[in-house]
Amino acid sequence: MSWILTCVIVAFLLYLVYNGVALGLFGVPKSLSMTFYLFQEKKKWTRIFFPIMMISMAFLLLPAWLEISALSSLQFLAFLAAAGIMFVGAAPAFKSSDLENTVHMTSAIIAAIFAILWVVLVSKLWWVILVWLAILGLIMLVTKTVKSSYIYWLETIAFMSTFTSILVYYLV
């Protein structure tokens, strides 16, 4: 197994464990970013988990993103997606100040748009997005969290589509 694939697997496990713990403790949040505050309410020091997870994930995914898109003129999409994720992690307290809110929200939008564009245009696995939309759409309906947590589910679609596209490249 290559070191790049190992990084992707570690990033994926980090994402799954973080989400699993958050969902187990708090139920389905409004957004992934909201878990920063939910953890803070439990114990103030645990809020550090969100920025650690986001920044680590971006660093661990970037080598794979770059390798897969090495021959593409769209390699910049990988940098913008990773940078967006890192800045979301670097500015987690989006309710605390206008500046942090602006950085966080802008970075989240950039990360989502460029990750999805990367999946569609570089990995060319656009159908993965539709598969995750269908799977998570069913979960949203069953859990009745469509209205209360739609941002969380859209973020999950973006992350799971990205992870799936990268893993398909290395494992298939």
PDB file of all heavy atoms in Angstrom, residues 10-24 39 53:
ATOM      1  N   VAL A  10      -6.391   7.107   6.431  1.00  0.00           N
ATOM      2  CA  VAL A  10      -6.342   7.767   7.745  1.00  0.00           C
ATOM      3  C   VAL A  10      -7.304   8.960   7.770  1.00  0.00           C
ATOM      4  O   VAL A  10      -8.041   9.155   8.736  1.00  0.00           O
ATOM      5  CB  VAL A  10      -4.902   8.193   8.106  1.00  0.00           C
ATOM      6  CG1 VAL A  10      -4.870   9.095   9.335  1.00  0.00           C
ATOM      7  CG2 VAL A  10      -4.025   6.962   8.331  1.00  0.00           C
ATOM      8  N   ALA A  11      -7.321   9.751   6.703  1.00  0.00           N
ATOM      9  CA  ALA A  11      -8.241  10.896   6.624  1.00  0.00           C
ATOM     10  C   ALA A  11      -9.688  10.429   6.681  1.00  0.00           C
ATOM     11  O   ALA A  11     -10.516  11.020   7.388  1.00  0.00           O
ATOM     12  CB  ALA A  11      -7.996  11.686   5.335  1.00  0.00           C
ATOM     13  N   PHE A  12      -9.995   9.377   5.957  1.00  0.00           N
ATOM     14  CA  PHE A  12     -11.355   8.835   5.924  1.00  0.00           C
ATOM     15  C   PHE A  12     -11.759   8.323   7.300  1.00  0.00           C
ATOM     16  O   PHE A  12     -12.863   8.605   7.785  1.00  0.00           O
ATOM     17  CB  PHE A  12     -11.440   7.727   4.872  1.00  0.00           C
ATOM     18  CG  PHE A  12     -12.824   7.195   4.647  1.00  0.00           C
ATOM     19  CD1 PHE A  12     -13.890   8.048   4.391  1.00  0.00           C
ATOM     20  CD2 PHE A  12     -13.063   5.833   4.667  1.00  0.00           C
ATOM     21  CE1 PHE A  12     -15.172   7.553   4.167  1.00  0.00           C
ATOM     22  CE2 PHE A  12     -14.335   5.326   4.445  1.00  0.00           C
ATOM     23  CZ  PHE A  12     -15.390   6.182   4.200  1.00  0.00           C
ATOM     24  N   LEU A  13     -10.868   7.588   7.957  1.00  0.00           N
ATOM     25  CA  LEU A  13     -11.160   7.089   9.302  1.00  0.00           C
ATOM     26  C   LEU A  13     -11.330   8.236  10.297  1.00  0.00           C
ATOM     27  O   LEU A  13     -12.214   8.194  11.161  1.00  0.00           O
ATOM     28  CB  LEU A  13     -10.062   6.128   9.767  1.00  0.00           C
ATOM     29  CG  LEU A  13     -10.014   4.789   9.028  1.00  0.00           C
ATOM     30  CD1 LEU A  13      -8.788   3.985   9.462  1.00  0.00           C
ATOM     31  CD2 LEU A  13     -11.295   3.999   9.231  1.00  0.00           C
ATOM     32  N   LEU A  14     -10.504   9.250  10.170  1.00  0.00           N
ATOM     33  CA  LEU A  14     -10.614  10.433  11.028  1.00  0.00           C
ATOM     34  C   LEU A  14     -11.985  11.078  10.864  1.00  0.00           C
ATOM     35  O   LEU A  14     -12.665  11.404  11.853  1.00  0.00           O
ATOM     36  CB  LEU A  14      -9.504  11.421  10.670  1.00  0.00           C
ATOM     37  CG  LEU A  14      -9.336  12.683  11.475  1.00  0.00           C
ATOM     38  CD1 LEU A  14      -8.958  12.359  12.922  1.00  0.00           C
ATOM     39  CD2 LEU A  14      -8.242  13.537  10.849  1.00  0.00           C
ATOM     40  N   TYR A  15     -12.408  11.225   9.627  1.00  0.00           N
ATOM     41  CA  TYR A  15     -13.720  11.802   9.328  1.00  0.00           C
ATOM     42  C   TYR A  15     -14.848  10.931   9.894  1.00  0.00           C
ATOM     43  O   TYR A  15     -15.778  11.435  10.524  1.00  0.00           O
ATOM     44  CB  TYR A  15     -13.872  11.969   7.809  1.00  0.00           C
ATOM     45  CG  TYR A  15     -15.214  12.484   7.384  1.00  0.00           C
ATOM     46  CD1 TYR A  15     -15.523  13.837   7.490  1.00  0.00           C
ATOM     47  CD2 TYR A  15     -16.183  11.629   6.872  1.00  0.00           C
ATOM     48  CE1 TYR A  15     -16.769  14.321   7.102  1.00  0.00           C
ATOM     49  CE2 TYR A  15     -17.419  12.099   6.482  1.00  0.00           C
ATOM     50  CZ  TYR A  15     -17.710  13.446   6.599  1.00  0.00           C
ATOM     51  OH  TYR A  15     -18.939  13.906   6.217  1.00  0.00           O
ATOM     52  N   LEU A  16     -14.760   9.620   9.663  1.00  0.00           N
ATOM     53  CA  LEU A  16     -15.801   8.710  10.141  1.00  0.00           C
ATOM     54  C   LEU A  16     -15.880   8.673  11.665  1.00  0.00           C
ATOM     55  O   LEU A  16     -16.977   8.717  12.231  1.00  0.00           O
ATOM     56  CB  LEU A  16     -15.559   7.297   9.599  1.00  0.00           C
ATOM     57  CG  LEU A  16     -15.811   7.075   8.121  1.00  0.00           C
ATOM     58  CD1 LEU A  16     -15.474   5.637   7.736  1.00  0.00           C
ATOM     59  CD2 LEU A  16     -17.234   7.420   7.737  1.00  0.00           C
ATOM     60  N   VAL A  17     -14.741   8.606  12.323  1.00  0.00           N
ATOM     61  CA  VAL A  17     -14.731   8.547  13.791  1.00  0.00           C
ATOM     62  C   VAL A  17     -15.272   9.851  14.367  1.00  0.00           C
ATOM     63  O   VAL A  17     -16.112   9.837  15.276  1.00  0.00           O
ATOM     64  CB  VAL A  17     -13.312   8.232  14.327  1.00  0.00           C
ATOM     65  CG1 VAL A  17     -13.222   8.459  15.835  1.00  0.00           C
ATOM     66  CG2 VAL A  17     -12.918   6.802  13.976  1.00  0.00           C
ATOM     67  N   TYR A  18     -14.807  10.977  13.842  1.00  0.00           N
ATOM     68  CA  TYR A  18     -15.290  12.273  14.340  1.00  0.00           C
ATOM     69  C   TYR A  18     -16.807  12.369  14.196  1.00  0.00           C
ATOM     70  O   TYR A  18     -17.516  12.732  15.133  1.00  0.00           O
ATOM     71  CB  TYR A  18     -14.610  13.428  13.596  1.00  0.00           C
ATOM     72  CG  TYR A  18     -15.061  14.775  14.102  1.00  0.00           C
ATOM     73  CD1 TYR A  18     -14.411  15.374  15.175  1.00  0.00           C
ATOM     74  CD2 TYR A  18     -16.145  15.434  13.540  1.00  0.00           C
ATOM     75  CE1 TYR A  18     -14.832  16.596  15.676  1.00  0.00           C
ATOM     76  CE2 TYR A  18     -16.580  16.657  14.031  1.00  0.00           C
ATOM     77  CZ  TYR A  18     -15.914  17.234  15.096  1.00  0.00           C
ATOM     78  OH  TYR A  18     -16.341  18.446  15.587  1.00  0.00           O
ATOM     79  N   ASN A  19     -17.303  12.042  13.003  1.00  0.00           N
ATOM     80  CA  ASN A  19     -18.748  12.110  12.761  1.00  0.00           C
ATOM     81  C   ASN A  19     -19.508  11.104  13.610  1.00  0.00           C
ATOM     82  O   ASN A  19     -20.587  11.409  14.116  1.00  0.00           O
ATOM     83  CB  ASN A  19     -19.061  11.903  11.280  1.00  0.00           C
ATOM     84  CG  ASN A  19     -19.003  13.186  10.519  1.00  0.00           C
ATOM     85  OD1 ASN A  19     -19.959  13.947  10.509  1.00  0.00           O
ATOM     86  ND2 ASN A  19     -17.868  13.456   9.898  1.00  0.00           N
ATOM     87  N   GLY A  20     -18.969   9.914  13.747  1.00  0.00           N
ATOM     88  CA  GLY A  20     -19.619   8.897  14.570  1.00  0.00           C
ATOM     89  C   GLY A  20     -19.770   9.335  16.012  1.00  0.00           C
ATOM     90  O   GLY A  20     -20.848   9.196  16.613  1.00  0.00           O
ATOM     91  N   VAL A  21     -18.698   9.901  16.561  1.00  0.00           N
ATOM     92  CA  VAL A  21     -18.748  10.395  17.944  1.00  0.00           C
ATOM     93  C   VAL A  21     -19.737  11.551  18.049  1.00  0.00           C
ATOM     94  O   VAL A  21     -20.575  11.589  18.955  1.00  0.00           O
ATOM     95  CB  VAL A  21     -17.342  10.812  18.438  1.00  0.00           C
ATOM     96  CG1 VAL A  21     -17.413  11.549  19.769  1.00  0.00           C
ATOM     97  CG2 VAL A  21     -16.432   9.590  18.550  1.00  0.00           C
ATOM     98  N   ALA A  22     -19.667  12.490  17.117  1.00  0.00           N
ATOM     99  CA  ALA A  22     -20.567  13.652  17.148  1.00  0.00           C
ATOM    100  C   ALA A  22     -22.029  13.218  17.022  1.00  0.00           C
ATOM    101  O   ALA A  22     -22.891  13.689  17.775  1.00  0.00           O
ATOM    102  CB  ALA A  22     -20.198  14.636  16.038  1.00  0.00           C
ATOM    103  N   LEU A  23     -22.311  12.324  16.088  1.00  0.00           N
ATOM    104  CA  LEU A  23     -23.684  11.852  15.914  1.00  0.00           C
ATOM    105  C   LEU A  23     -24.161  11.090  17.150  1.00  0.00           C
ATOM    106  O   LEU A  23     -25.314  11.243  17.576  1.00  0.00           O
ATOM    107  CB  LEU A  23     -23.801  10.955  14.676  1.00  0.00           C
ATOM    108  CG  LEU A  23     -23.673  11.659  13.323  1.00  0.00           C
ATOM    109  CD1 LEU A  23     -23.533  10.641  12.208  1.00  0.00           C
ATOM    110  CD2 LEU A  23     -24.834  12.595  13.069  1.00  0.00           C
ATOM    111  N   GLY A  24     -23.277  10.297  17.738  1.00  0.00           N
ATOM    112  CA  GLY A  24     -23.629   9.553  18.943  1.00  0.00           C
ATOM    113  C   GLY A  24     -23.915  10.453  20.134  1.00  0.00           C
ATOM    114  O   GLY A  24     -24.837  10.198  20.913  1.00  0.00           O
ATOM    115  N   PHE A  39     -19.376  20.301  20.950  1.00  0.00           N
ATOM    116  CA  PHE A  39     -18.309  19.738  21.782  1.00  0.00           C
ATOM    117  C   PHE A  39     -17.920  20.713  22.888  1.00  0.00           C
ATOM    118  O   PHE A  39     -17.688  20.324  24.034  1.00  0.00           O
ATOM    119  CB  PHE A  39     -17.074  19.383  20.941  1.00  0.00           C
ATOM    120  CG  PHE A  39     -17.130  18.015  20.338  1.00  0.00           C
ATOM    121  CD1 PHE A  39     -17.307  17.848  18.974  1.00  0.00           C
ATOM    122  CD2 PHE A  39     -17.007  16.879  21.123  1.00  0.00           C
ATOM    123  CE1 PHE A  39     -17.364  16.585  18.396  1.00  0.00           C
ATOM    124  CE2 PHE A  39     -17.060  15.610  20.573  1.00  0.00           C
ATOM    125  CZ  PHE A  39     -17.245  15.463  19.206  1.00  0.00           C
ATOM    126  N   MET A  53      -9.439  17.871  13.166  1.00  0.00           N
ATOM    127  CA  MET A  53      -9.973  16.956  12.160  1.00  0.00           C
ATOM    128  C   MET A  53      -9.954  17.603  10.774  1.00  0.00           C
ATOM    129  O   MET A  53      -9.496  17.000   9.801  1.00  0.00           O
ATOM    130  CB  MET A  53     -11.404  16.545  12.534  1.00  0.00           C
ATOM    131  CG  MET A  53     -12.025  15.487  11.638  1.00  0.00           C
ATOM    132  SD  MET A  53     -13.073  16.067  10.282  1.00  0.00           S
ATOM    133  CE  MET A  53     -14.257  17.110  11.067  1.00  0.00           C
TER     134      MET A  53
END
